[in-house]
Amino acid sequence: MTPARPDPDALLRLAEQERSGRLKVFLGAAPGVGKTCEMLDDALGQARAGVDVVVGVVETHGRVETEARLRPLPVLPRKEVAHRGHTLLEMDIDAILERRPSLVLVDELAHANAPGSRHDKRWQDVEEILAAGIDVWSTLNIQHLESLNDVVASFTHVRVRETVPDRLLDRAEIEVVDTPPDELIERLRAGKVYVPQEAARALHHFFSRSNLSALRELVLRRAAQAVDAQMLDAVRAQALAGTWATADRVLVAVGSHDAASDVVRAGRRLADALRAPWTAVHIETPGERGAQANARLAEAMHLATQLGGQVLAMPASGVVDGLAQAAADTRATLLVVGAPRPRRFAWQRRLTVDTLARRLPDLALQQVPVVHRAVPARLPTPVPDWRRLAAGLVPALGATALVTALGRLLFAAAPITNVALLYFLPVMLAATRYGLATGVLTGLAASLAYNFFFIPPTGTFTIEDPQNIITVLVLVAVAAVSSQLAARLRQQALLAGASARTSAALAGFARLLTGVTTAEELGRVLCAEAARLLDAHAVLLLPTDGKLVVAAAFPPQDRLEVLDMAAAQWAFDRAQPAGRGSGTLTASEWLFTPLAAGGAPLAVLGLARGDAAAPVRSDRLPLLGSLVDQAGLALERIRLEHDMAGVRQLEERDRLRAALLSSISHDLRTPLTAVVGTLRELVPANEDQVPILATARAEADRLQRFIANLLDMVRIEAGAIALRTEAVDLAEAVASAVHDLRRTLGTRAVTMDIAPDLPLVMVDPRLFHHCLINLIENAARHGGEEGAITLAAQRRPDGLDLRVLDEGPGLPPGMAVRIFELFTRVEGSDRKGGTGLGLAIVKGFARAMGLDVSAANRGDRAGACFTVHFSEHHLRKISPE
């Protein structure tokens, strides 16, 4: 058996986990078991131990015990997302990445984000956070797991739409939060899970005792499977020997006989009964199978794929050796084999099973009773391949004749007694080059030649001396044994050659991919290599404008039939094979396999044969999988390189813009300071000059604020903002900003609705003053010539809101988020004008202080409303004197 070595795939998975943050999932059977409370309790322990813990999002659902546990932890403000006239709150990924805590709490992993968010699902947000090296703790109910979604729906009659892929749970540390069904039902009746009306309805449907018991079993089994998979990764990465039978793992031996599909079905039923993962393996031994045997094997392996098993084809010199190696690789605990076809003698039936039992003493064997097709009473006599046999016998017999002539010459020169040893040469030659049958026939011919030419009386086949009879029999026996050994060596050499050719093909394909720089070029290389290695037609389809188009094909073609395109689209949408040889849209002549990287499909490879045969033979499926995996990684690399090129262009553009802003602002500041100072010292000579001088001073002040905004923007983009946080009275800060803008506001009405008993806010006074100046000036500019401005503060359960309202036309649809982008001006409306810097500075300064700024239209009348949100940890209560 090959010496154990670390599994490269396991090493890669472990290395990827080391580079990213660690995920911990608190897994429960149903709502109300205490997942969130358990997570918060553990997080409080981490915080007391000095770990930087923040709450990204936690849903309390109004539960008092959850709110009490949440209160001591810092909570990041949520991001407002506008959707159909409503403002929804979602987790702010950018704030988390900017804050970079050691641990972030993200409740409800299966949550679907509001439309317009960066990702559709919260688990995708978690993946981005993990990729940044930040640890994440989250919660999940078992019915939201993708692989168990339909299982749970079959007995609860409730199918949830929000699901989480299994790969996320497989990489996570799992803590099962368990509550007995009776206790959970009591919590539900007490109103600790749902409000009374919903609780009564839930008790008669989802929260029945039978449902909760089944869900508990699913949680425990799925957690055990995930832990077992992680344990196997660690074992394989360290090349540790042994089965490590902490859980059942089933290996099903699949042959090319007529009962192969029955063995696969029986193995699947046994794996289901044990709730164990299972693998179907076929051992590729030397020799040729007929077309019917190949078809039966392909059908059985395809059935195993449809039934959810992994498929493995392993070359080996013998079935027992191959099964032993497969069992070691998969760490199987149970081997399922089909009962052999009845033989004439009992020892023939026991041979294979007994050999497996001796070879694999730590492996449980399950022999499945299967019904073989009836064997006809009189089998037709097989027709031997005389041409192939004759092609080997002719040179073998020629070598025997040559050895006989050489022996006669040597025997004539001197009576040599061991001339029989010369006949081993043609026997070994025939067995190694032409196989066992040719070697045995050559051995018989050699023994007859030795008897006829060298054993007295020569020239006849009569043997007088009994010792010579023993010599001939030994010669025949040794010739047969050496033929068998030489034939086995030939078989192993053929297997090694086939394996080497496959490895060389994959290595050559990998070398070709290293020089590929575009998706179209990759398509041409992939189709050409797939067509050559798999002896099939190949086509690659790439997504373009929401649909798949043919990017490359070999032989060249530019379109597929409607049914074929439907199969390709299905394979791309669901990241599963489709078409002929799969379980979906089998009427298509093509087998479509998705190219994926990171769990997301990137393209689809199609294969078909011109002779209407199966697109891929079963023994070539591992080669197809390797080609698809390498091509998927190459396509992902090309996409990332394209994205990085775009990022570099953006970075260069931003660098040039920052340099230009810095240059303009600094070059204008000095002369502008002199101009402003001079204008302030000038005294009008008469009444006519008063308005002129006032206008000049106002425009100079406006230009000075514009230059200050340029400088502030440069500081924001350079990250050169130094915070000096202190407690600030909100009413005083607003009054100071209004006073500084008295010339800009003129006679416009300004209403300040700020209660005196509001808590102080923890901000940087200078940056907060800049934010207020820009917000009020924006309201004055776009609120109409005589429109009033209202500044109102309101206390909320999660903090405090300061709103700046104007009476202008409001914001056009879709501008609520874009309005804060740099140099953004609302074209096509009355709100156009300005430099597009003020609101971007507000956003930058607010983010630097940990505040959240949003924009929306007023609900009571026309006009815009800009809101600055202070979370609870930004507030300081005023101590009574």
Side-chain angles (χ1 to χ4, degrees):
M1 189 177 293
T2 305
R5 64 184 182 87
D7 187 342
D9 293 333
L11 286 173
L12 286 174
R13 285 190 291 269
L14 291 177
E16 183 180 355
Q17 291 179 9
E18 291 296 328
R19 289 195 300 267
S20 64
R22 296 182 180 276
L23 174 64
K24 180 176 181 179
V25 174
F26 293 81
L27 185 64
V33 297
K35 302 178 300 297
T36 303
C37 289
E38 182 69 19
M39 178 178 70
L40 291 174
D41 287 341
D42 289 359
L44 286 170
Q46 293 288 317
R48 295 189 190 102
V51 178
D52 184 13
V53 182
V54 300
V55 176
V57 56
V58 166
E59 304 292 350
T60 63
H61 299 290
R63 298 168 186 165
V64 177
E65 61 269 24
T66 306
E67 293 176 351
R69 288 173 170 87
L70 179 63
R71 198 169 294 115
L73 294 171
V75 180
L76 292 179
R78 299 197 198 182
K79 184 176 182 179
E80 293 186 355
V81 179
H83 177 60
R84 296 181 179 178
H86 299 281
T87 300
L88 306 178
L89 297 178
E90 294 292 352
M91 182 174 65
D92 193 341
I93 307 176
D94 293 325
I96 294 173
L97 297 178
E98 184 177 353
R99 173 76 162 70
R100 293 198 64 82
S102 299
L103 173 63
V104 60
L105 308 183
V106 181
D107 201 12
E108 298 185 0
L109 187 60
H111 171 77
N113 291 331
S117 301
R118 183 184 306 180
H119 300 126
D120 294 334
K121 305 291 185 180
R122 184 169 288 169
W123 60 263
Q124 295 172 311
D125 298 341
V126 168
E127 285 190 322
E128 183 175 348
I129 297 171
L130 291 171
I134 302 172
D135 293 347
V136 177
W137 287 4
S138 190
T139 61
L140 181 69
N141 286 326
I142 193 65
Q143 67 264 30
H144 293 286
L145 198 61
E146 180 64 45
S147 63
L148 298 177
N149 182 256
D150 56 340
V151 177
V152 174
S154 66
F155 61 84
T156 63
H157 307 294
V158 176
R159 181 181 291 273
V160 295
R161 291 179 296 176
E162 297 85 5
T163 58
V164 175
D166 287 56
R167 58 181 170 82
L168 223 66
L169 196 65
D170 291 336
R171 65 171 291 186
E173 175 189 351
I174 300 175
E175 180 174 331
V176 176
V177 182
D178 187 36
T179 300
D182 291 338
E183 183 179 335
L184 182 57
I185 291 173
E186 288 302 320
R187 284 175 51 82
L188 191 68
R189 288 172 177 167
K192 296 181 178 180
V193 180
Y194 294 131
V195 296
Q197 295 80 4
E198 293 182 359
R201 185 168 56 252
L203 281 170
H204 292 88
H205 295 86
F206 189 86
F207 281 81
S208 67
R209 185 174 284 100
S210 58
N211 285 351
L212 294 177
S213 299
L215 289 170
R216 287 182 76 198
E217 181 181 358
L218 285 178
V219 168
L220 296 174
R221 289 187 178 275
R222 187 60 184 86
Q225 288 180 8
V227 173
D228 183 63
Q230 293 168 8
M231 182 271 295
L232 285 181
D233 267 350
V235 168
R236 289 165 178 161
Q238 300 176 50
L240 299 177
T243 304
W244 294 80
T246 57
D248 290 312
R249 293 180 285 276
V250 178
L251 182 66
V252 182
V254 181
S256 57
H257 50 79
D258 51 15
S261 296
D262 296 335
V263 176
V264 170
R265 293 187 182 94
R268 164 62 192 270
R269 289 194 297 269
L270 187 58
D272 284 348
L274 297 173
R275 300 293 180 92
W278 65 287
T279 302
V281 60
H282 172 69
I283 307 303
E284 292 285 345
T285 55
E288 294 187 354
R289 295 187 299 267
Q292 292 183 352
N294 279 327
R296 290 193 296 266
L297 177 60
E299 179 183 358
M301 298 298 271
H302 170 60
L303 177 62
T305 303
Q306 284 185 310
L307 294 179
Q310 294 184 351
V311 174
L312 177 65
M314 179 170 290
S317 58
V319 174
V320 176
D321 293 336
L323 288 177
Q325 185 63 48
D329 290 347
T330 59
R331 299 302 200 278
T333 60
L334 177 63
L335 174 62
V336 179
V337 296
R341 186 184 296 278
R343 304 288 184 180
R344 179 171 299 179
F345 302 104
W347 63 268
Q348 290 177 308
R349 295 194 295 269
R350 293 196 304 265
L351 181 61
T352 303
V353 176
D354 290 347
T355 306
L356 283 171
R358 289 192 301 270
R359 184 69 180 274
L360 303 169
D362 298 331
L363 190 66
L365 296 177
Q366 177 71 43
Q367 188 170 340
V368 178
V370 293
V371 179
H372 294 272
R373 294 177 184 174
V375 181
R378 297 183 59 185
L379 293 174
T381 303
V383 180
D385 191 353
W386 292 111
R387 294 181 181 178
R388 185 175 180 183
L389 191 60
L393 279 176
V394 170
L397 295 178
T400 304
L402 182 62
V403 167
T404 302
L406 179 61
R408 294 286 293 177
L409 292 175
L410 294 176
F411 196 79
I416 302 174
T417 58
N418 57 356
V419 70
L421 297 177
L422 293 174
Y423 285 101
F424 289 133
L425 297 176
V427 173
M428 297 295 291
L429 174 67
T432 54
R433 289 185 61 84
Y434 304 109
L436 178 61
T438 305
V440 171
L441 292 176
T442 305
L444 293 174
S447 63
L448 293 174
Y450 176 66
N451 182 14
F452 189 83
F453 290 104
F454 296 100
I455 297 178
T458 58
T460 68
F461 292 104
T462 303
I463 302 176
E464 294 180 349
D465 190 349
Q467 294 183 0
N468 291 330
I469 295 177
I470 296 175
T471 302
V472 172
L473 293 178
V474 170
L475 175 62
V476 174
V478 172
V481 172
S482 61
S483 296
Q484 185 177 9
L485 293 176
R488 182 176 296 178
L489 181 63
R490 176 175 178 268
Q491 292 173 353
Q492 293 177 352
L494 291 175
L495 280 175
S499 179
R501 285 192 296 273
T502 300
S503 299
L506 292 175
F509 182 60
R511 284 194 299 272
L512 290 174
L513 292 181
T514 57
V516 171
T517 57
T518 64
E520 291 74 17
E521 186 180 358
L522 180 140
R524 291 191 294 270
V525 171
L526 174 60
C527 290
E529 288 298 300
R532 180 178 67 85
L533 296 175
L534 302 173
D535 190 24
H537 298 173
V539 61
L540 182 72
L541 298 98
L542 293 172
T544 303
D545 297 331
K547 62 180 182 179
L548 293 176
V549 297
V550 176
F554 191 93
Q557 65 180 84
D558 56 0
R559 62 183 301 273
L560 295 174
E561 299 297 331
V562 175
L563 178 60
D564 300 331
M565 288 300 299
Q569 190 66 50
W570 193 96
F572 181 82
D573 293 339
R574 291 164 178 79
Q576 297 178 4
R580 187 173 184 181
S582 70
T584 305
L585 297 175
T586 56
S588 173
E589 291 296 325
W590 293 79
L591 170 63
F592 293 99
T593 305
L595 277 66
L602 304 175
V604 175
L605 174 66
L607 295 170
R609 292 182 56 103
D611 57 0
V616 183
R617 297 200 322 263
S618 61
D619 59 327
R620 310 301 283 172
L621 287 175
L623 177 59
L624 172 62
S626 298
L627 292 175
V628 167
D629 291 342
Q630 291 191 24
L633 292 175
L635 193 59
E636 176 72 0
R637 172 182 58 81
I638 292 172
R639 186 180 67 84
L640 291 176
E641 288 177 350
H642 182 269
D643 292 345
M644 285 302 299
V647 170
R648 284 193 293 269
Q649 292 178 356
L650 289 175
E651 289 177 347
E652 181 64 17
R653 188 179 68 182
D654 290 343
R655 187 187 65 80
L656 293 175
R657 183 179 63 186
L660 179 62
L661 289 176
S662 179
S663 176
I664 293 176
S665 59
H666 283 88
D667 290 344
L668 291 179
R669 191 175 188 182
T670 301
L672 183 61
T673 301
V675 170
V676 172
T678 302
L679 288 174
R680 288 176 179 171
E681 295 297 329
L682 289 177
V683 177
N686 51 56
E687 292 296 331
D688 295 336
Q689 293 180 352
V690 171
I692 298 174
L693 188 57
T695 302
R697 289 173 177 171
E699 291 301 317
D701 290 340
R702 180 171 174 271
L703 184 58
Q704 193 173 37
R705 285 195 300 273
F706 171 67
I707 299 300
N709 283 342
L710 285 176
L711 284 173
D712 290 339
M713 203 68 243
V714 172
R715 290 162 54 211
I716 291 173
E717 295 189 344
I721 300 177
L723 290 179
R724 294 180 177 84
T725 304
E726 59 183 67
V728 173
D729 185 287
L730 198 58
E732 293 180 0
V734 170
S736 175
V738 171
H739 178 268
D740 289 349
L741 289 172
R742 59 189 183 281
R743 294 181 180 175
T744 302
L745 298 174
T747 59
R748 187 187 308 269
V750 177
T751 302
M752 291 186 288
D753 183 11
I754 302 175
D757 58 345
L758 288 178
L760 303 178
V761 294
M762 298 301 296
V763 293
D764 184 306
R766 183 175 56 85
L767 298 184
F768 187 55
H769 184 75
H770 277 285
C771 291
L772 293 175
I773 289 288
N774 282 288
L775 287 174
I776 298 171
E777 187 178 26
N778 177 78
R781 182 182 301 115
H782 303 296
E785 294 183 359
E786 299 296 332
I789 298 175
T790 302
L791 295 100
Q794 185 177 6
R795 192 73 164 90
R796 297 196 176 277
D798 59 343
L800 186 149
D801 285 348
L802 173 64
R803 296 183 298 161
V804 180
L805 302 96
D806 63 44
E807 296 180 355
L811 299 174
M815 287 299 297
V817 177
R818 291 189 56 243
I819 195 71
F820 293 104
E821 295 177 2
L822 192 60
F823 297 122
T824 297
R825 293 182 293 178
V826 182
E827 300 295 338
S829 75
D830 292 339
R831 299 191 71 87
K832 65 183 178 179
T835 62
L837 285 173
L839 295 179
I841 290 172
V842 171
K843 186 72 172 180
F845 282 178
R847 179 173 295 176
M849 292 183 289
L851 308 179
D852 190 26
V853 181
S854 60
N857 285 322
R858 297 178 62 168
D860 55 341
R861 54 161 300 160
C865 173
F866 290 85
T867 304
V868 181
H869 177 73
F870 303 85
S871 62
E872 194 67 35
H873 72 274
H874 282 97
L875 305 181
R876 293 293 182 271
K877 293 184 178 180
I878 302 175
S879 301
E881 296 182 359

